[in-house]
Amino acid sequence: MDAKDNSLLISAYSADAFRAEAPRIMELIGRELELLQTDNSQKTIERRTPQEQLSFWQEDFDSGEPCSLEEFSEEIMERSIHFHNKGYMGHQVAVTLPVTALTSALIGYMNNCTTVYELGMTGNAMEKVVISHLAEKFGYSKGATGFVTSGGSMGNLTALVTARTSSGVREQDYPKLAVMVSEEAHYSVERAAKIMGIQSDHIIKVPAGDDFSMRTDLLESCYEEAVKAGKIVFCVVGCACTTSVGAHDNLEAIAEFATKHNIWFHVDGAHGGAAIFSDKYRYLLKGIEHSDSLIVDFHKMMMTPPLSTAVIYNAGHRKINEFSPKAAYLWQDQLSEEWWNSAKHTLECTKPLSVIHTYAIMRLYGDEIYRQNVDTLYDLGKQFAGMIREQNDMELALWPNSNIVCFRFVPDCGDINEVNKVIAEELLKDGTYYTVSTVIRGQFFLRVTLMNPLTGTEELTGLLQKVREAAA
Ligand SMILES: *Cc1c(COP(=O)(O)O)cnc(C)c1O
């Protein structure tokens, strides 16, 4: 091979080749979207074993045969779960707005990133605009600030680190630090604490009540016990809502407790934070305006691809200090914290411009689209729960406050947990609907998160029928 031959590079960068290929891929997406919206017999998932998938792709890779992006795009789509199918009601992954397929292309091509101002001039400014808008929605004080990071897990970690450095605790006292959180919280909170070196017995799990929300009446006694044991509680985390069953902690009560003891109050609103856009469901977040920080995932209820999460600090509330306990700057002083150099604030160095998705959604459709999505999906959750309540062979784990519904089949005989495990497997094998499962206080439940706003009564009825068929 000629060392000087760069013809492959030249053709790969060819504008003509790109322009020929691009419409075909977009057409593929458009075709699937149409099919899934018009043909209800399409399966949501055709589950193949990991080994089957691996052999297929290994064989494809090894074949060395010429292929086009269009060909293997078709294959990728065919061998993947279809979130845009109305039968998709599994995990909390967004059914992306089609426009984000286009913004994804733009983001991928531009490759601006937000590390240092010049590398992402537009993105840095857009983040500021989007965050300010959200901060106002959440009722944060003027001057609130934040950024977009790669996911809720990363967001919780970043906020907890900031809570610690802002707590004023000397580094030599870090081993004494403790955090309080509901026993029902997402595992990423505990993991973040552990990454920060917080000892397991300093992660204080406040028990949850019958409704799976934090028993805020126990906050004081848990706190007193911790203080007696020489722990320094620097942060309390509220859930809005929990992942497993969608329980909302009483944020007002937690805020009161946090203010009284001067503890940082962080809200994990990865899933349910979007309810702030709904007049009907905003009440679930009452008290969030008193928190010091919060996160909300754009890639869950706000319809973007992953990973894209807002971290917002209620700057008017407190002195905010990010990664270094010695850092002199405070966030009240907007000019010295250099918001335009995002890497000063995020755990990432290079970071994609995912905010473009959300900026585009806000700009093209306005907040109204979030309201419609939240109202539609939360209403759908209640509709489904109502349907289950009417079945005499099924039961709810609890009445849902969101689009997360946990239920199970109640058999005449046999082990209820085993029967439902079989049902879950059968549903997956069938693939018309994609549902998941969860274990609630030792009991196995089927779990759906209604994420597709186009899902309707037909799918909900269809699922119940499949459950019954599987049980038989
Ligand atoms: C999904 C979720 C997370 C984790 O967010 P990722 O974006 O998946 O990292 C954290 N907390 C809650 C409540 C969640 O639902």
Side-chain angles (χ1 to χ4, degrees), residues 92 150-156 184-189 239-244 268-272 295 297 299-300 306-309 404 447:
Q92 291 150 290
S150 306
S153 306
M154 186 83 103
N156 280 331
E184 288 288 324
H186 189 262
Y187 72 85
S188 62
V189 175
C239 302
C241 51
T242 66
T243 305
S244 183
D268 180 355
H271 180 89
I295 64 157
D297 275 354
H299 59 264
K300 284 186 179 157
L307 293 163
S308 201
T309 298
I404 302 172
R447 174 175 174 273

Side-chain angles (χ1 to χ4, degrees), residues 320-382:
I320 292 176
N321 195 344
E322 294 170 290
F323 300 124
S324 162
K326 295 191 188 85
Y329 61 78
L330 305 174
W331 271 17
Q332 275 102 335
D333 185 355
Q334 293 275 326
L335 289 178
S336 60
E337 48 94 359
E338 295 185 14
W339 57 265
W340 53 87
N341 286 323
S342 76
K344 291 200 164 191
H345 313 289
T346 58
L347 287 171
E348 297 103 323
C349 176
T350 307
K351 188 185 82 172
L353 272 194
S354 68
V355 70
I356 288 179
H357 301 304
T358 297
Y359 187 94
I361 292 170
M362 288 179 170
R363 193 73 179 82
L364 295 173
Y365 308 107
D367 291 348
E368 172 63 8
I369 198 151
Y370 298 130
R371 181 200 68 75
Q372 292 188 9
N373 197 47
V374 170
D375 284 354
T376 304
L377 296 177
Y378 280 30
D379 284 352
L380 211 51
K382 290 194 195 301

Side-chain angles (χ1 to χ4, degrees), residues 203-391:
I203 302 168
I204 301 160
K205 304 261 180 75
V206 183
D210 291 342
D211 65 353
F212 298 88
S213 76
M214 181 196 271
R215 284 206 38 203
T216 48
D217 58 315
L218 297 178
L219 276 170
E220 284 296 341
S221 55
C222 288
Y223 179 77
E224 268 166 40
E225 199 180 309
V227 172
K228 243 184 242 157
K231 297 169 188 172
I232 303 174
V233 179
F234 74 102
C235 182
V236 56
V237 180
C239 302
C241 51
T242 66
T243 305
S244 183
V245 303
H248 289 78
D249 288 345
N250 181 341
L251 303 181
E252 279 205 310
I254 301 175
E256 202 173 300
F257 163 79
T259 307
K260 179 174 167 201
H261 297 286
N262 195 26
I263 298 167
W264 185 285
F265 174 26
H266 172 65
V267 177
D268 180 355
H271 180 89
I276 203 70
F277 292 103
S278 160
D279 292 338
K280 190 168 175 188
Y281 292 107
R282 187 177 304 121
Y283 76 92
L284 293 166
L285 304 174
K286 205 154 174 264
I288 200 167
E289 65 278 13
H290 302 304
S291 60
D292 296 296
S293 59
L294 67 87
I295 64 157
V296 54
D297 275 354
F298 295 150
H299 59 264
K300 284 186 179 157
M301 293 295 288
M302 292 172 74
M303 302 175 278
T304 77
L307 293 163
S308 201
T309 298
V311 177
I312 316 179
Y313 298 124
N314 204 355
H317 242 217
R318 283 177 169 268
K319 291 177 177 174
I320 292 176
N321 195 344
E322 294 170 290
F323 300 124
S324 162
K326 295 191 188 85
Y329 61 78
L330 305 174
W331 271 17
Q332 275 102 335
D333 185 355
Q334 293 275 326
L335 289 178
S336 60
E337 48 94 359
E338 295 185 14
W339 57 265
W340 53 87
N341 286 323
S342 76
K344 291 200 164 191
H345 313 289
T346 58
L347 287 171
E348 297 103 323
C349 176
T350 307
K351 188 185 82 172
L353 272 194
S354 68
V355 70
I356 288 179
H357 301 304
T358 297
Y359 187 94
I361 292 170
M362 288 179 170
R363 193 73 179 82
L364 295 173
Y365 308 107
D367 291 348
E368 172 63 8
I369 198 151
Y370 298 130
R371 181 200 68 75
Q372 292 188 9
N373 197 47
V374 170
D375 284 354
T376 304
L377 296 177
Y378 280 30
D379 284 352
L380 211 51
K382 290 194 195 301
Q383 184 194 340
F384 188 48
M387 287 163 68
I388 290 163
R389 217 163 42 178
E390 280 165 22
Q391 318 294 320

Side-chain angles (χ1 to χ4, degrees), residues 54-87:
L54 181 60
S55 332
F56 177 85
W57 290 108
Q58 192 65 57
E59 210 168 288
D60 172 72
F61 191 80
D62 293 342
S63 78
E65 280 167 30
C67 68
S68 68
L69 181 64
E70 187 181 9
E71 274 166 9
F72 77 74
S73 294
E74 259 179 77
E75 207 63 68
I76 289 171
M77 286 170 83
E78 146 77 24
R79 300 183 148 264
S80 301
I81 183 165
H82 306 283
F83 292 132
H84 293 80
N85 192 306
K86 288 181 262 183

